């Protein structure tokens, strides 16, 4: 798998910005630990905080339960800033996301206060660097926004069962890694 120098440590100092299925900690734990029911000692190694990524737009991927983001200077994406990730977590995430995505280092703004669905009332705070997975096949995106609540109600149970999340993953085609 492609790596760069900043991904060499395995001491839990990596951060990521999740904007889709991985915003749900149970999905994250299923991907990274093969179960949503991790012990408290493992769960406590990570933090999840609301954040915004400016300059990107989130859309549903056609015929899929998950979204993709693409660069778009006129939009922002609401998501989750996750800390405590190890190199092993990042490698599993590269495999999970696959070759349709590119992992990039971006700057996100933590949210001190979360507003409404349209972002009205958001109070932005500190800036943080994080990995994010950018969708490469823009022609495979729908015109509409991906909906987290719709995913939670209709699809999440399919994404939190051990092994199931990797059924269609190709181990020979992990996410690409952008040059920093």
């Amino acid at each position: 798998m492609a790596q760069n120098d900043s991904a060499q440590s395995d001491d839990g100092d990596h951060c990521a910005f999740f904007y889709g299925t991985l915003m749900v900690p149970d999905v994250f734990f299923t991907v990274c630990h093969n179960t949503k029911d991790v012990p408290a000692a493992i769960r406590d190694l990570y933090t999840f905080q609301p954040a915004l990524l400016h300059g990107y737009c989130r859309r549903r991927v056609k015929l899929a339960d998950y979204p993709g983001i693409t660069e778009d200077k006129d939009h922002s994406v609401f998501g989750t800033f996750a800390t405590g990730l190890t190199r092993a977590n990042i490698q599993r995430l590269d495999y999970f996301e696959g070759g349709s995505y590119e992992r990039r280092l971006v700057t996100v703004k933590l949210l001190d206060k979360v507003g409404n669905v349209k972002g009205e009332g958001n109070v932005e705070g500190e800036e943080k660097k994080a990995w994010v997975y950018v969708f490469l096949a823009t022609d495979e995106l729908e015109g509409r926004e991906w909906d987290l609540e719709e995913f939670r109600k209709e699809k999440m149970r399919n994404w939190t069962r051990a092994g199931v999340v990797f059924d269609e993953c190709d181990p020979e085609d992990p996410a690409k890694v952008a040059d920093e």
Side-chain angles (χ1 to χ4, degrees):
M1 278 179 214
Q3 295 181 15
N4 66 24
D5 292 339
S6 69
Q8 295 305 311
S9 170
D10 206 17
D11 59 6
D13 64 354
H14 298 280
C15 302
F17 177 78
F18 301 134
Y19 56 85
T21 61
L22 291 163
M23 289 173 64
V24 180
D26 283 355
V27 175
F28 169 80
F29 289 120
T30 301
V31 170
C32 289
H33 295 280
N34 208 34
T35 180
K36 67 179 180 165
D37 300 314
V38 297
I42 299 292
R43 189 172 287 271
D44 292 347
L45 296 173
Y46 304 94
T47 65
F48 302 93
Q49 185 173 353
L52 281 178
L53 175 60
H54 294 292
Y56 286 82
C57 183
R58 172 179 45 208
R59 295 285 181 247
R60 290 173 51 103
V61 174
K62 292 177 184 174
L63 304 174
D65 297 340
Y66 51 86
I69 61 169
T70 56
E71 288 188 66
D72 184 331
K73 65 179 178 58
D74 296 325
H75 287 87
S76 295
V77 176
F78 174 80
T80 300
F81 175 73
T83 67
L85 282 70
T86 64
R87 184 179 68 225
N89 295 147
I90 296 294
Q91 289 174 335
R92 284 188 66 97
L93 291 165
D94 285 350
Y95 172 56
F96 172 72
E97 296 295 358
S100 295
Y101 291 84
E102 178 180 78
R103 179 166 42 94
R104 295 183 189 170
L105 194 59
V106 295
T107 301
V108 299
K109 294 277 257 178
L110 300 183
L111 289 177
D112 292 335
K113 180 181 176 194
V114 178
N116 65 22
V117 172
K118 294 181 181 182
E120 297 162 341
N122 283 344
V123 176
E124 295 181 17
E126 192 176 355
E127 287 187 346
K128 296 285 188 175
K129 293 283 187 188
W131 290 115
V132 70
Y133 291 89
V134 177
F135 198 70
L136 299 174
T138 57
D139 60 322
E140 294 179 22
L141 295 174
E142 294 181 5
R144 76 176 179 115
E145 169 78 54
W146 181 82
D147 186 307
L148 177 61
E149 290 311 310
E150 178 182 324
F151 170 77
R152 282 183 197 265
K153 289 176 187 171
E154 298 176 15
K155 305 291 183 178
M156 189 169 87
R157 68 185 170 280
N158 299 327
W159 289 78
T160 55
R161 296 179 306 179
V164 174
V165 296
F166 289 104
D167 281 352
E168 295 182 25
C169 296
D170 181 352
E172 301 302 318
D173 191 24
K176 289 110 180 103
V177 180
D179 295 328
E180 287 186 47

